[in-house]
Amino acid sequence: MTKILLLLANGFEAVEASVFTDVLGWNKWEGDGTTEVVSVGLHEQLQCTWNFNVSPEKLLHDIALEDFDALAIPGGFEEAGFYEDAFSEEFQQVIRHFDEHKKPIATICVASLSLGHSGILHNRKATTYNHPTSKRLDQLQSYGAEIVNERLVQTEHIITSSNPGTAFEVAFRLLEMLTSIENTEKVKDLMGFH
């Protein structure tokens, strides 16, 4: 079984987390059956960007990172306190661990800023929230990332994306990395994406 660590910062966007649980969950029951997602946070209760509360299955200090094969991180809002967790040293250590072991890391929207903050995007192609009114691309560039203004950017084992509208694309790309193109196409078809 391939275990995916769904790392949730307080203030995360629920829809960006749910694509990972949905796509990889569909794969568990209707695809090749190999993926299992475990939601992990720094607190026993997390508040999503727009106020409903979520209890992660595990707390970060209760898991062994070696037990996981991939990392998925949804973005969130500064106003909801997202960066307090996302930029914390505990969060950063998780990111560096997965990068050092070249395990897949999938992020949606501003979650790539947590990768930038950790130092792993230095001299690597990446993107983040790219609306013309936003400062986030400049912020990502300040971490030494090579900005590619596309919907989804994959550099080696790292996926970054430009907005919440890319969420399903990111989840399917992660599934493809963990299984196969054929299996991913089957799950897409079953979920009505063709």
Side-chain angles (χ1 to χ4, degrees):
M1 188 64 75
T2 302
K3 288 180 76 173
I4 299 92
L5 195 167
L6 179 60
L7 188 57
L8 302 175
N10 208 29
F12 74 92
E13 274 205 74
V15 70
E16 294 180 18
S18 68
V19 293
F20 292 117
T21 57
D22 251 51
V23 168
L24 297 161
W26 270 77
N27 183 64
K28 183 177 182 178
W29 285 355
E30 303 291 338
D32 72 2
T34 59
T35 51
E36 182 182 343
V37 178
V38 180
S39 61
V40 176
L42 301 179
H43 320 281
E44 287 184 12
Q45 192 151 65
L46 301 166
Q47 190 167 54
C48 297
T49 296
W50 288 285
N51 295 337
F52 68 83
N53 293 314
V54 171
S55 298
E57 293 164 85
K58 303 270 185 187
L59 290 174
L60 188 53
H61 60 74
D62 292 333
I63 63 163
L65 297 179
E66 297 76 26
D67 294 344
F68 292 87
D69 305 291
L71 175 63
I73 311 174
F77 269 66
E78 186 165 12
E79 295 84 347
F82 175 76
Y83 298 106
E84 289 165 33
D85 279 2
F87 287 1
S88 69
E89 189 50 37
E90 302 102 307
F91 219 86
Q92 301 291 294
Q93 284 173 357
V94 175
I95 292 165
R96 291 186 201 110
H97 171 87
F98 280 84
D99 183 52
E100 282 163 19
H101 293 86
K102 303 282 182 268
K103 293 178 179 179
I105 299 172
T107 62
I108 299 171
C109 199
V110 296
S112 59
L113 293 171
S114 62
L115 306 188
H117 194 79
S118 76
I120 73 163
L121 292 182
H122 194 77
N123 292 330
R124 278 175 161 158
K125 291 181 168 73
T127 193
T128 192
Y129 185 59
N130 67 348
H131 193 272
T133 61
S134 174
K135 63 184 180 187
R136 299 304 179 194
L137 282 173
D138 290 338
Q139 189 179 354
L140 188 64
Q141 193 168 24
S142 75
Y143 291 120
E146 188 182 323
I147 300 301
V148 180
N149 198 356
E150 292 176 6
R151 284 180 61 81
L152 188 150
V153 176
Q154 183 176 343
T155 303
E156 300 158 47
H157 56 284
I158 300 169
I159 304 167
T160 56
S161 84
S162 54
N163 56 62
T166 65
F168 271 109
E169 291 168 56
V170 172
F172 284 126
R173 179 68 64 89
L174 178 61
L175 180 60
E176 194 177 297
M177 289 172 76
L178 297 174
T179 63
S180 67
I181 292 172
E182 296 73 24
N183 180 65
T184 303
E185 289 302 315
K186 176 186 173 186
V187 174
K188 274 185 177 176
D189 180 56
L190 289 167
M191 291 183 76
F193 280 89
H194 288 299

